[in-house]
Amino acid sequence: MKFAVIVFPGSNCDVDMYHAVKDELGAEVEYVWHDRKSLDKFDGILLPGGFSYGDYLRSGAIARFSNVMKEVVKAAEAGKPVLGVCNGFQILLEAGLLPGAMKRNESLKFICRSVELQVENNKTMFSSAYESNEVITIPIAHGEGNYYCDEETLAKLKANNQIVFTYSGSNPNGSLADIAGIINEKGNVLGMMPHPERAVDELLGGADGLKLFQSIVKQWREAHVVNA
Amino acid sequence: MEKGTLLYEGKAKKVYQTNNDDIVWIEYKDSATAFNGEKKASIAGKGRLNNEITSLLFSKLQALGIDSHFIKKLSATEQLVKKVEIIPLETVVRNFSAGSFAKRLGVEEGAKLARPIVEFYYKDDALGDPLLIEDHIEILQLANSDEVAILKEKALQVNTVLSELFKELGIRLVDFKLEFGKDENGNILLADEISPDTCRLWDDKTNEKLDKDVFRRDLGNLTDAYETILARLRRPISMYKVKVFVTLRESVLDPQGTVVKNSLHSLNYSEVSDVRIGKYMELTIDKSDRPVDEVVKDMCERLLANVVIEDYRYEIEEAVAQ
């Protein structure tokens, strides 16, 4: 399975993402610059955190119009796993691949610390390696992670089990329904504010994020290498 | 084309024969009259201004598919037009309340009418150009009901085009008078003139009057006002200055606004009940084939605002490249 780490001007978690996939997960991975016109050779797409285009106008607002995003939409439509972390989540929202929008944190502060997440849905290709309702520790680092959507959308997210991760205990940013990560209806596009790629090694304070990547690979193997 | 004998002299124009029976030669005079000729003056340059403005407006109307008797401008004060038999009706279109309408009906001057309305007046100096109802027009055999319908339709067409045209120039077309004539085949054709003598034109921002009311009411220099109209008509709009305002939707809690509101309260501005913080953008947009309003709306929807959580509004101002 081959992953692409999409790099925009201003991405700054791309190296962590690359490291997590290559060194900790042990899968193939390549950096892909934002002007790339094809993602055909990749099996999974990773949109890392950072401040693409300086977060000008709104987080993710400019990045969504880059060349590579057309390909990301195509990959999503083709059913490939697409993971957006932090700024990557914001880009997926702006691109309309996930519903809702991001507001500034309720405290108006940039928050950088580890938080506890509850796995709300472990029946997705991103969370199957977790136990149901498992509480995991993953770092967050954002100023705009205050997820918002209208009531109708929220009801739909709940009804379809699209809320994959919620903040457990205290909600750091004021997000609606404690939402930390949501998946699309089809189940192959996940956006989350916490950084699983920063929690892949006990040396770095925890490895709870690794299972997320392992889930993706597991699902892909089951689908593609079943007869190998 | 040769100028022949004087056929007719009115308050504002002289009409000469030409060596073509179907064409007459019009000369605009410098005289200004109001209140049915009770107030008179000779104002140097007025003939030129009305000729220039009328020629420009008739040309623009023709370019947009509205025919008139206008053929071409000959000189600063002269033009050639098709010979028509003028229907003795003044067809008036009103978009806003003003003049005799405001006075007669007690509607405040400047009030926007729910829709443009058409009035007819009898072109008769001795009677003082009285307002007519359609039965009057029919009974006096000034025009039949089919012709009245045509006059109305044409007048409203002209109104749509001129209102838009003047709006782009920062001018409000309050009301105006048209005259129509019949050509040798009996076709009804827009005739006479369209100028600040026959239109009420107000600056869209300042409400300054740029028409004959300046003379009627002694509001200043008439030629200055008419020059303003001519200058704006000659100046092509080449770009727009657009102001875009983006704020979080009412239904979305604005964390920044809340903090600022609390801060204002701590400074004793207890009367502040709400603060919404948004973004303000200034865009300069070149004129193109696409309507600017559509372009701006599109940009707001696609990029400038995130309509999931944000509302936007915009203001468009015409501008001329320096």
Side-chain angles (χ1 to χ4, degrees), chain A residues 57-58 94 103-104 148, chain B residues 252-253 279 303-304 306 309:
Chain A
L57 196 61
R58 292 180 308 278
E94 283 286 341
K103 295 196 295 173
R104 290 192 65 182
Y148 174 87
Chain B
V252 177
L253 187 76
K279 295 173 200 145
L303 177 62
L304 303 181
N306 180 339
I309 47 169

Side-chain angles (χ1 to χ4, degrees), chain A:
Chain A
M1 180 174 190
K2 188 163 190 171
F3 286 94
V5 172
I6 310 291
V7 186
F8 298 98
S11 296
N12 66 8
C13 301
D14 43 339
V15 179
D16 299 34
M17 191 70 93
Y18 186 94
H19 164 77
V21 174
K22 187 171 187 352
D23 304 324
E24 305 293 342
L25 183 67
E28 271 189 88
V29 60
E30 253 180 55
Y31 291 117
V32 171
W33 191 232
H34 64 94
D35 61 358
R36 179 87 154 245
K37 295 202 176 66
S38 170
L39 292 174
D40 289 351
K41 67 171 189 174
F42 298 100
D43 307 303
I45 314 298
L46 306 170
L47 295 162
F51 299 85
S52 59
Y53 299 90
D55 269 0
Y56 293 162
L57 196 61
R58 292 180 308 278
S59 316
I62 310 287
R64 71 154 288 203
F65 290 106
S66 56
N67 275 331
V68 81
M69 281 309 293
K70 293 187 191 82
E71 294 304 308
V72 172
V73 170
K74 247 199 244 170
E77 281 167 359
K80 291 182 187 176
V82 175
L83 170 67
V85 170
C86 197
N87 190 224
F89 185 12
Q90 293 161 342
I91 295 168
L92 292 176
L93 291 171
E94 283 286 341
L97 285 172
L98 291 171
M102 219 48 96
K103 295 196 295 173
R104 290 192 65 182
N105 292 347
E106 209 168 45
S107 64
L108 302 181
K109 287 184 183 132
F110 189 94
I111 305 167
C112 186
R113 63 180 164 87
S114 284
V115 297
E116 290 194 335
L117 302 180
Q118 178 155 329
V119 180
E120 298 284 341
N121 179 356
N122 72 339
K123 306 231 165 12
T124 78
M125 65 167 78
F126 301 94
S127 59
S128 60
Y130 295 107
E131 300 298 321
S132 178
N133 294 324
E134 184 178 342
V135 173
I136 56 175
T137 304
I138 305 278
I140 57 166
H142 59 250
E144 291 184 32
N146 186 350
Y147 179 82
Y148 174 87
C149 65
D150 59 29
E151 282 174 30
E152 199 185 319
T153 308
L154 181 63
K156 230 171 130 188
L157 289 177
K158 284 182 175 165
N160 298 333
N161 282 323
Q162 286 174 257
I163 301 170
V164 179
F165 300 109
T166 54
Y167 297 108
S168 175
S170 72
N171 179 335
N173 52 30
S175 71
L176 192 70
D178 300 329
I179 285 173
I182 55 169
I183 200 163
N184 64 343
E185 263 182 81
K186 209 160 123 187
N188 69 317
V189 178
L190 175 74
M192 61 192 294
M193 288 314 295
H195 289 268
E197 81 282 7
R198 292 192 191 177
V200 288
D201 192 324
E202 291 299 342
L203 278 176
L204 296 171
D208 284 354
L210 193 54
K211 284 185 192 167
L212 189 148
F213 296 99
Q214 286 165 343
S215 302
I216 304 175
V217 172
K218 183 170 156 256
Q219 190 273 345
W220 187 83
R221 286 217 175 107
E222 282 166 4
H224 292 86
V225 202
V226 75
N227 299 321

Side-chain angles (χ1 to χ4, degrees), chain B residues 89 91-92 115 117-122 130-153 156:
Chain B
L89 291 173
T91 306
V92 170
R115 60 172 176 83
I117 59 161
V118 181
E119 294 174 344
F120 295 101
Y121 292 84
Y122 191 9
L131 176 67
L132 297 171
I133 62 167
E134 286 183 30
D135 275 356
H136 295 162
I137 298 172
E138 214 170 316
I139 222 74
L140 295 177
Q141 295 187 321
L142 305 175
N144 64 38
S145 59
D146 288 347
E147 289 168 337
V148 169
I150 292 172
L151 294 182
K152 268 192 182 173
E153 191 193 329
L156 288 171

Side-chain angles (χ1 to χ4, degrees), chain B residues 91-255:
Chain B
T91 306
V92 170
V93 180
R94 298 182 185 274
N95 296 305
F96 296 84
S97 171
S100 63
F101 177 91
K103 211 167 157 185
R104 182 178 297 118
L105 302 177
V107 179
E108 191 193 357
E109 187 171 79
K112 188 170 170 48
L113 306 183
R115 60 172 176 83
I117 59 161
V118 181
E119 294 174 344
F120 295 101
Y121 292 84
Y122 191 9
K123 254 173 79 73
D124 189 312
D125 287 345
L127 295 172
D129 297 343
L131 176 67
L132 297 171
I133 62 167
E134 286 183 30
D135 275 356
H136 295 162
I137 298 172
E138 214 170 316
I139 222 74
L140 295 177
Q141 295 187 321
L142 305 175
N144 64 38
S145 59
D146 288 347
E147 289 168 337
V148 169
I150 292 172
L151 294 182
K152 268 192 182 173
E153 191 193 329
K154 283 185 184 271
L156 288 171
Q157 268 176 7
V158 171
N159 182 49
T160 305
V161 172
L162 286 187
S163 291
E164 187 58 33
L165 189 146
F166 278 116
K167 190 174 166 228
E168 283 191 12
L169 305 174
I171 294 165
R172 202 173 323 139
L173 180 60
V174 173
D175 57 34
F176 60 96
K177 176 210 77 167
L178 298 174
E179 291 185 22
F180 292 88
K182 286 185 191 168
D183 65 14
E184 72 274 23
N185 302 319
N187 297 319
I188 293 179
L189 208 55
L190 179 61
D192 193 48
E193 66 175 282
I194 303 177
S195 73
D197 265 12
T198 65
C199 303
R200 279 198 175 84
L201 302 167
W202 297 359
D203 185 282
D204 220 4
K205 282 215 189 87
T206 64
N207 283 331
E208 186 191 354
K209 292 176 169 55
L210 300 168
D211 54 58
K212 204 164 88 173
D213 275 347
V214 172
F215 171 73
R216 287 193 194 99
R217 301 185 186 183
D218 297 316
L219 297 174
N221 190 325
L222 177 133
T223 50
D224 284 354
Y226 285 31
E227 289 285 9
T228 302
I229 297 291
L230 181 59
R232 290 200 203 175
L233 278 171
R234 280 181 170 164
R235 181 177 75 174
I237 289 166
S238 57
M239 60 187 193
Y240 302 92
K241 295 274 185 193
V242 179
K243 296 171 181 171
V244 179
F245 303 85
V246 177
T247 48
L248 280 176
R249 288 191 158 192
E250 288 286 344
S251 57
V252 177
L253 187 76
D254 176 359

